[in-house]
Amino acid sequence: MTKSDVVEDFLHARRSAAAVHTLDRDGIDSVLRFCAAHREDRPTTPLPKNLDPAVRVALRTMDDAALRAIATAPIGKVRKFIDGVPHAIHGVPEIVKNNAAPEAEQLPPPGMTEHQRILWKIKAQLEKTKASEPFRAVKP
């Protein structure tokens, strides 16, 4: 085995590894590719369709410093950014998902009497406990 054979085998292995299609089920590779792309290439860089629309809008409207911070962040923090949970990437705003309930909906509606407000709180507590109960199948 000569030196040229070793180099040729190495280059062949490198080419075959680069040719492997990466599975991008949750969109992390596409987001990292988008964030690392040059400013002029970003409009043509595709984002996965399975990303939340709020994340897509945020990525398209972020400045270069925030996108660079995402591109250099660890994968776990990027995954948290995509999921809309606190991610601790400095300079990158947190994304609020559309399915997150705003705090204003948890307050009683204005103009209620004291009696109606108490009934509203009781009803809210009952619905809250029912929403968190696990599903139980009835035994035949």
Side-chain angles (χ1 to χ4, degrees):
M1 193 168 222
T2 64
K3 184 177 179 179
S4 62
D5 291 337
V6 172
V7 171
E8 186 179 326
D9 287 343
F10 173 73
L11 292 175
H12 175 68
R14 180 186 280 179
R15 282 191 298 268
S16 63
V20 173
H21 177 70
T22 59
L23 297 176
D24 194 15
R25 182 182 63 188
D26 45 1
I28 292 177
D29 290 336
S30 298
V31 168
L32 290 175
R33 194 175 316 114
F34 177 82
C35 293
H38 191 267
R39 176 184 312 137
E40 296 171 358
D41 296 334
R42 282 192 202 120
T44 59
T45 305
L47 285 172
K49 299 208 184 299
N50 61 349
L51 276 182
D52 189 81
V55 175
R56 298 174 101 197
V57 168
L59 286 171
R60 296 277 185 200
T61 58
M62 280 185 192
D63 60 346
D64 290 336
L67 291 172
R68 214 171 319 122
I70 293 173
T72 58
I75 299 230
K77 289 185 178 185
V78 175
R79 184 181 311 275
K80 288 179 181 180
F81 168 75
I82 291 172
D83 292 339
V85 296
H87 48 73
I89 303 174
H90 182 70
V92 178
E94 293 183 6
I95 305 297
V96 178
K97 294 282 190 148
N98 292 338
N99 58 3
E103 295 294 324
E105 292 183 33
Q106 297 176 1
L107 298 174
M112 290 183 142
T113 64
E114 188 62 32
H115 180 70
Q116 290 172 331
R117 189 174 297 125
I118 290 172
L119 290 176
W120 183 88
K121 287 181 181 179
I122 291 171
K123 182 180 174 191
Q125 284 291 349
L126 289 173
E127 289 175 358
K128 183 177 179 183
T129 58
K130 287 181 183 177
S132 63
E133 287 181 8
F135 175 76
R136 294 194 179 123
V138 179
K139 293 183 180 180

